[in-house]
Amino acid sequence: MAGAASRRAPPRLSHEKYIIGWICALPKELAAARAMLDELHADLPKAAGDTNTYCLGRLGNHNVAVACLPKGEIGTHSAALVSIRMMSTFESIRFGLMVGIGGGVPSKHNDIRLGDVVVSMPTGQHGGVIQWDFGKATADGTFNRTGSLNRPPATLMTALARLESKHEMEDSRIPDYLLEMAAKYPKMASKYTRPASLADTLFTAKYRHVKGKDTCENCEADEIISRPSRTESLSIHYGLIASGNQVMKNGVERDQISKELGGALSFEMEAAGLMNGFPCIVIRGICDYADSHKNDDWQEYAAATAAAYAKELLLELPAEEVRNVPMMEGISKIETSPHRSKLNSFYQYPLNRKVTNFVPRDEIMRSIHDGFSTARDGVAAKVVVLLGLGGCGKSQLALQFCNECENVNNFNSIFWIDASSPDTLGPSFSSIAQQLSDVDRKMDIQEDIQFVITTMSSWESSWLMVFDNYDDPKAFRHHSIYDYFPKGYRGCILVTSRHAAAQNLGQALDVSTMEDMEAQNLFFRRLEDQKSQETISEAQRIIGKLGNHALAIDQSSAYIQGNRIPVAQFMDEFDSCRREVQHVLHELPEHWVYKRKLETGSDYETELSVFTTWELSFKLISGDPSSREGKEVFVTVAAFLDNKDLIEALFSSPGSISHVHWMEIFMRNRNWSSQTFRKAVKELSDLSLLQSFHVADGKTSFSIHPLVQEWIKLRRPVDDRRNYTIHAIFLLANYLKTFKHKGSIVLHERLIISAHLEAVLSNDARYLTEQDWIEDASLSLSANQLGIFALDSASRHNLAEDMFRRSLASDVHLLGAEHEYTLSNMDCLARALSALGQHEEAEQLHRKGLEVEQRVLGPEHRNTLTTMHSLARVLTKQGQYTEAEELLQQVLQAREKDLGAEHPSTLNSRQNLAKLLAAQGKTREGAQLYRDVLKLQQRVLGPEHPSSLTSMHNLAQALAEIEEYTEAEQLHLRVLEVKERVQGLEHPKTLQGVRGLASIYRFQQRYEEAADLYSRCLAGLQKVFGSDHFDTVTCLNRYSNILLKVQMKANKLDKVGSVEEAAKLYRKALAGFQSVHEPGNPRTLSCMRDLAMYFAGHSQYAEAAELYQQAFRDAEEAFGPEGLETLCCIRGLATMARYQGLFKEASELYGKALAGFHKSLGADDFETLTCMERYSSMLSKAAAELHSLDSYDDAAEFYRKAIASYAESAGARHPSTLSCKRRLAVVLREQGRSSEAEHLLRETLQQMEDALGAGAKDTVWSVWSLAKTLAERRQYDEALVLYPRAMHGIEKMYGSDSHLVQVCNEEYTSLREERQHDKIPLLSTIEQDIDTSPVDQVHNLRGENLGAETAAELFSKLFPKLDILSPGRV
């Protein structure tokens, strides 16, 4: 019952029962607050939009709601948001406490120490808290802090005074509450009670902490201020607290600001956000001195002392007094806007657009608050601009900001202006003028505008003015929007715009996209009933598709709700109804009420969907009709590429410029103009049709929001989409043409091209047919370029084949089968097939093309020679070296004849022939040919020419093959030195040199050095080319192989006792495998198991277990629970358990592995048989362990399993099988089943004598076991015969001094005495020496007065195979 009581559910109260709010900034402060509660309560539902986390409970007679700021968020704005949300959920809260840690300001008048408590108390003109970083800069350079934060409620002040006077007479209860906390929560005792080991050190204000050091150990001791010791453990101080959005970490500045404020006692970062809208007292435990010597060591204790004081204060406060606090002393209810809430206060913003279901976007809201919190320049209002696409939520954010500011009285007045154009701006100003004027005004827009600007510029209270929908700066022809801004320094101006030009007005915040979690919350706002783990994943996919665009996300949610479809069905409808996507995303959520006047001068507002907002932007494109059309076509073509990394080079390639008519808008004097292109992109970016406008090295790049991209495509008819798809493919192909060698494209460019390639292929699947590729000549040329690019990527060879087949089919159709372009494409297709391993088909294509080229172009045409070379390469791959060599000799002769012996192409042919010779095993001939080529190249081209270096590299490789390592290494080092110096450390050619040197070390078995070089090469190739490039994949495989060599070397070192070196190599190999392979790669898993086994073998079980468990998880995820790699990991875990003596666990794991191996590999596989042997052994050991623990039933069960397993794997008469049988018999005897034990032992002894011999160890043990069993069964005669035999065998094995001999002799002596007591003849003279003849043994028995018949009968039992002991012989 006691246990049930302790698990009783906590009390659940209603919201109105909570009348005190407690706010913390840090989790450690929340922990201290929670520890002070006398009782915890159950959680309650929260109001819409409330994202706070609460801890509810009782403290004395008060019910308290405790809230903490989100982790990682600090400052006045975050505190304000938490208080606003708390008040929306707990409307009955009268006032609150802000409790936590702060920095102390020690002085001559205030002996503040670490752990002391500072409580806010009104002083002079200040209400107890002042925001020290908010105010205005004056002309003389000083900084005036403006405004004053509200005083705490009178009820709290009364309780405060009462407690302060109480402490004059008696000690504070804080130490008592800390002791209670430690007793109730022992885990908190070490940190949250006074840290005796920590020093309370105060340095002089001017002395700065030593940079780069976490502690003050290196700070100058001479700078420490000496202070007298105090008798009390802590003191409580009452006075002014300085609050701000910045951390105070400067002693001099701390003292200066404290002096300016009249003596602040503490600096902190939240209270200023609460005091006006959340009446409270601020309580701070001092954890540092607000100087550069900050550390976190005292924070927990300081949080606890502050919380303990808060408890003491609340217990001093009668609950009835709190309940009687009038609302005007608590939290005022918000009146309806627009209204005048009090004298000279106005709140005028559009209620019909007020947010009802707003999803908090905390980061943006915090940025707006922070933008208005910085110091003023003393003249102008502070301006913050919200920039973003139409429908991304700019106006909603502005409305929410107004709502929050009104709730906490941040601004005395708030005004809203429609800044769509001068025509809409004027009436807004007239409305404001009417509110501000004391008399009825006759509407005159110009006078009203001037009146409002003049009035607000001199306004004494803080004000906010929102200029909404400032999307078309050009509409303000005669005046800048800036001319409409009042100049008063007490004012703040918030602008919303989709036009980039607005960012020049003030601090700009990009709000185009929502954070992922915010977007998810918005999506499920109306779909809460469908929310699950599966639908969350689907929602993330939808959100990504819509580019985290606020209105589009809410429209998709509204569509799902309105049509009552599952979340999982939305993308199907979106994709299948692409022509009607505007219909799918036309559901307009009520709380957006997104309306605009589409025509100037019209009074009618139209509800807009996310798409129609962007049509407005298209109408704002400038220029004559031809220019406007060109820009629209440009944007549309860009939308058919990938939406990111749209670089100028994609559009400016020569092939595109000369064939695309609309490119003329970017031309000047018939040449491409980067300046004109940049100007056009900037205009479209300013209209939010494009994004991420960027200029680097004179070249422009940009991106398109994914939803804008989809809309641009869908606004065109289907036939147009086909044409734009072809156009985009053509642009990409022409860009690829600008690269002379596709293999030299670096990673950054490769990633950009790959992304655009995926985009055009996706559009191809949607809008093009195979017939389009055949009949369109531009597509044929494009396909060839795309194929060449794909051929250089290891995982894109299938795409290369597809592109070349398309290009070839088109050339055959348009140009004929024997055209030069057709034959060139045939050669490309053959190369792609060869890369895919389809060498026979590649050979057939090469031969077919070669036959036509020799006949049509001639045997010595450059294309013919190229095809001959390609054919030779394919033949080499198939081992047809003779024909390959003949072809290469022909190519060489033709080039020598046509170009000369020293022409680079001729020398290149010689190099290819040398490679072929090396491939045939004619390495010395190949090396000599390389030397000849190198000599010519060095003379003709120079020793550091790239071709000379290539030949030097190839010669070094050939020398390594014939084991001339010294010269090979010198050549590679020379090549590498030149490449590093000339081309840089990460140039592809340099990395080729690194790989060459690594191969030399590999040949020499210098595996560690080789691994380091391969690692460097791989990292460089991944950075330059990416993981998919052919060279990267090749290097990866070689690095992986060399790591395997390192691993094998570690195995050998471990076996010969070089423990430390083995561990070092194991770790090196594993780190290498993990860096290049995904988790679950077989080589990585093998290395992990080897290293784990190394750890286990050296008793480092924790490390071994961690590695094995990780390997098991990776293997199971990659291969499933029955994969061979997974089974190997299970077997490894079993082995580790065996090393630790955990035999039962080991047997279970071996059994699991055995079942898997048996199922996957069969009964006769080596892995299965090995695992079965270990399984049997562990069963036996587990049985012995259970036996030693007197767990006889379990031991018997495991022995039977072991016997069955050994019998299956090794045979019924195998020593291990027989040993387990003997041990099972012993267990049976100890269970009292001596009859079964005797039977089993006789059978086992017979089999052991047959298989092992009478003197074998297991046979002797069986003799002794049978003797014991017979003695228990009172079969004394036979037992007394067996004991001497057992003693003799034991003595022979272990020596006469063995304690086992003594034990056996004691049992034997005891048995003889027992027999004598029972009047049974003694067998004292029996000799069981197997060297004594049986006849002598009979004579010895007869010496004991046994008859011949009896002696013979006994011996026939003991030695059944000796027929000489028959009665007749006796």
Side-chain angles (χ1 to χ4, degrees), residues 998-1188:
S999 67
I1000 299 300
Y1001 292 152
R1002 174 169 57 88
F1003 285 134
Q1004 295 176 278
Q1005 298 185 12
R1006 294 159 63 179
Y1007 299 130
E1008 299 99 295
E1009 295 170 87
D1012 289 339
L1013 287 171
Y1014 277 126
S1015 177
R1016 173 191 165 184
C1017 181
L1018 180 61
L1021 289 171
Q1022 286 174 330
K1023 184 176 180 180
V1024 175
F1025 289 142
S1027 300
D1028 192 44
H1029 192 274
F1030 181 79
D1031 287 349
T1032 310
V1033 174
T1034 301
C1035 186
L1036 170 63
N1037 290 331
R1038 292 181 181 175
Y1039 181 38
S1040 188
N1041 287 330
I1042 211 69
L1043 290 171
L1044 197 59
K1045 298 287 188 183
V1046 173
Q1047 182 183 351
M1048 292 168 65
K1049 184 175 179 180
N1051 276 327
K1052 292 179 181 178
L1053 289 171
D1054 191 18
K1055 288 177 182 177
V1056 299
S1058 300
V1059 177
E1060 293 184 3
E1061 184 66 18
K1064 177 183 174 183
L1065 291 182
Y1066 273 133
R1067 288 191 174 95
K1068 184 181 185 71
L1070 180 57
F1073 282 130
Q1074 289 175 329
S1075 70
V1076 298
H1077 294 308
E1078 293 292 324
N1081 181 275
R1083 287 189 169 181
T1084 307
L1085 294 172
S1086 171
C1087 193
M1088 290 175 78
R1089 291 196 301 270
D1090 276 0
L1091 180 54
M1093 191 59 68
Y1094 164 84
F1095 284 139
H1098 294 87
S1099 301
Q1100 299 176 41
Y1101 298 120
E1103 293 89 338
E1106 184 179 353
L1107 262 179
Y1108 266 132
Q1109 291 290 353
Q1110 185 60 54
F1112 172 74
R1113 288 192 294 269
D1114 292 347
E1116 189 172 41
E1117 184 173 347
F1119 302 103
E1122 295 184 349
L1124 292 179
E1125 291 295 336
T1126 310
L1127 297 175
C1128 288
C1129 291
I1130 295 172
R1131 184 181 62 195
L1133 286 168
T1135 303
M1136 193 187 71
R1138 173 167 62 91
Y1139 282 173
Q1140 293 176 274
L1142 305 173
F1143 302 125
K1144 187 175 180 180
E1145 291 85 344
S1147 65
E1148 291 172 355
L1149 289 167
Y1150 275 129
K1152 186 175 181 181
L1154 175 61
F1157 284 132
H1158 194 283
K1159 181 178 179 181
S1160 301
L1161 303 175
D1164 298 329
D1165 187 84
F1166 175 77
E1167 295 285 1
T1168 308
L1169 295 173
T1170 303
C1171 195
M1172 182 177 288
E1173 187 278 325
R1174 292 180 182 175
Y1175 174 54
S1176 305
S1177 174
M1178 285 306 99
L1179 288 170
S1180 174
K1181 289 182 181 295
E1185 182 180 34
L1186 291 166
H1187 185 188
S1188 69

Side-chain angles (χ1 to χ4, degrees), residues 290-360:
D291 57 12
S292 60
H293 303 277
K294 280 180 171 289
N295 65 67
D296 298 341
D297 295 338
W298 285 80
Q299 287 189 355
E300 288 82 1
Y301 174 62
T305 58
Y309 178 86
K311 178 172 184 173
E312 190 172 16
L313 175 63
L314 289 181
L315 292 179
E316 192 67 32
L317 188 65
E320 194 62 31
E321 287 188 19
V322 178
R323 284 190 288 270
N324 291 335
V325 172
M327 288 303 296
M328 63 180 178
E329 195 175 4
I331 299 165
S332 302
K333 296 296 182 182
I334 305 303
E335 301 176 29
T336 305
S337 298
H339 66 284
R340 177 180 293 203
S341 63
K342 55 182 180 284
L343 186 62
N344 295 327
S345 296
F346 304 90
Y347 295 104
Q348 181 174 317
Y349 54 94
L351 275 177
N352 63 329
R353 292 169 62 183
K354 199 168 183 178
V355 187
T356 58
N357 252 338
F358 187 79
V359 172

Side-chain angles (χ1 to χ4, degrees), residues 31-48:
R34 185 186 180 97
M36 292 300 149
L37 295 176
D38 298 324
E39 179 182 66
L40 293 174
H41 293 170
D43 292 340
L44 293 174
K46 294 180 290 188

Side-chain angles (χ1 to χ4, degrees), residues 476-708:
F476 294 79
R477 292 187 180 89
H478 305 297
H479 297 279
S480 165
I481 189 70
Y482 191 78
D483 295 335
Y484 296 92
F485 291 174
K487 301 299 187 291
Y489 72 87
R490 294 187 183 277
C492 293
I493 295 173
L494 183 63
V495 181
T496 72
S497 177
R498 71 180 67 179
H499 199 290
Q503 66 187 329
N504 298 320
L505 298 174
Q507 180 181 343
L509 304 174
D510 187 352
V511 299
S512 292
T513 59
M514 301 184 77
E515 297 293 330
D516 290 341
M517 187 53 66
E518 295 170 349
Q520 182 178 305
N521 291 339
L522 174 60
F523 182 83
F524 282 109
R525 180 67 74 192
R526 68 186 76 252
L527 300 172
E528 194 65 37
D529 58 327
Q530 289 202 49
K531 193 172 184 179
S532 66
Q533 197 59 48
E534 291 74 18
T535 56
I536 287 174
S537 298
E538 185 63 25
Q540 290 169 345
R541 193 164 73 96
I542 295 170
I543 290 166
K545 185 71 175 179
L546 302 177
N548 289 49
H549 188 279
L551 181 55
I553 292 166
D554 213 26
Q555 287 176 327
S556 67
S557 175
Y559 179 86
I560 293 169
Q561 183 190 48
N563 290 275
R564 298 181 179 179
I565 63 172
V567 171
Q569 188 178 323
F570 177 80
M571 285 308 299
D572 292 336
E573 297 210 8
F574 187 91
D575 291 332
S576 62
C577 305
R578 289 190 177 275
R579 297 179 187 179
E580 302 176 1
V581 168
Q582 297 198 37
H583 166 69
V584 174
L585 291 185
H586 192 69
E587 300 287 339
L588 195 62
E590 292 179 3
H591 74 266
W592 284 89
V593 195
Y594 201 76
K595 295 181 178 182
R596 292 285 296 276
K597 294 176 182 177
L598 300 186
E599 300 295 336
T600 301
S602 171
D603 292 330
Y604 180 70
E605 288 188 330
T606 303
E607 277 194 3
L608 305 182
S609 74
V610 65
F611 295 107
T612 52
T613 65
W614 297 330
E615 284 292 352
L616 295 174
S617 297
F618 256 82
K619 292 181 179 180
L620 297 176
I621 296 176
S622 66
D624 57 49
S626 175
S627 176
R628 288 168 54 86
E629 180 186 2
K631 293 174 186 176
E632 186 171 338
V633 172
F634 160 64
V635 171
T636 309
V637 172
F640 280 80
L641 293 162
D642 187 59
N643 69 305
K644 297 180 289 296
D645 290 315
L646 289 151
I647 56 177
E648 183 177 337
L650 280 166
F651 304 92
S652 62
S653 59
S656 298
I657 294 173
S658 59
H659 290 86
V660 182
H661 71 280
W662 58 265
M663 288 285 192
E664 293 175 0
I665 63 171
F666 303 132
M667 308 289 282
R668 288 294 177 269
N669 299 322
R670 305 187 67 177
N671 292 315
W672 177 266
S673 171
S674 291
Q675 184 178 4
T676 306
F677 181 78
R678 179 164 61 252
K679 185 177 178 181
V681 172
K682 185 177 187 309
E683 178 192 357
L684 296 166
S685 181
D686 287 347
L687 295 172
S688 291
L689 292 169
L690 305 180
Q691 287 183 327
S692 308
F693 171 71
H694 181 68
V695 179
D697 298 327
K699 299 299 180 182
T700 302
S701 63
F702 60 94
S703 65
I704 308 177
H705 189 281
L707 197 57
V708 176

Side-chain angles (χ1 to χ4, degrees), residues 1199-1341:
Y1199 274 131
R1200 287 191 175 94
K1201 289 180 179 178
I1203 292 167
S1205 181
Y1206 272 129
E1208 182 181 357
S1209 61
R1213 292 178 176 269
H1214 189 274
S1216 297
T1217 310
L1218 298 175
S1219 177
C1220 286
K1221 289 177 70 175
R1222 178 185 64 78
R1223 295 182 184 192
L1224 174 59
V1226 173
V1227 174
L1228 292 174
R1229 185 187 74 225
E1230 293 181 3
Q1231 285 182 295
R1233 298 157 66 179
S1234 55
S1235 177
E1236 293 177 61
E1238 178 188 351
H1239 176 76
L1240 186 58
L1241 281 169
R1242 290 189 186 278
E1243 176 185 296
T1244 303
L1245 182 57
Q1246 175 79 49
Q1247 293 171 337
M1248 283 184 173
E1249 287 177 332
D1250 290 345
L1252 307 175
K1257 177 181 176 181
D1258 281 327
T1259 308
V1260 172
W1261 282 108
S1262 295
V1263 170
W1264 192 2
S1265 297
L1266 180 56
K1268 288 184 179 182
T1269 304
L1270 292 173
E1272 284 188 7
R1273 292 176 58 76
R1274 301 180 65 79
Q1275 297 181 31
Y1276 297 112
D1277 290 343
E1278 190 173 352
L1280 289 168
V1281 170
L1282 289 172
Y1283 265 116
R1285 179 182 172 189
M1287 277 191 290
H1288 181 77
I1290 295 169
E1291 187 175 323
K1292 196 169 184 180
M1293 286 187 292
Y1294 300 108
S1296 58
D1297 295 333
S1298 171
H1299 76 283
L1300 294 174
V1301 175
Q1302 182 181 351
V1303 171
C1304 189
N1305 185 55
E1306 288 174 355
E1307 291 179 5
Y1308 174 53
T1309 302
S1310 176
L1311 182 62
R1312 288 175 60 187
E1313 291 173 355
E1314 185 178 346
R1315 180 194 180 277
Q1316 189 176 30
H1317 178 73
D1318 291 345
K1319 309 299 184 191
I1320 299 174
L1322 287 170
L1323 305 179
S1324 59
T1325 59
I1326 297 178
E1327 295 290 342
Q1328 290 297 313
D1329 189 343
I1330 59 173
D1331 295 326
T1332 305
S1333 71
V1335 175
D1336 292 336
Q1337 296 284 358
V1338 172
H1339 284 299
N1340 289 337
L1341 284 171

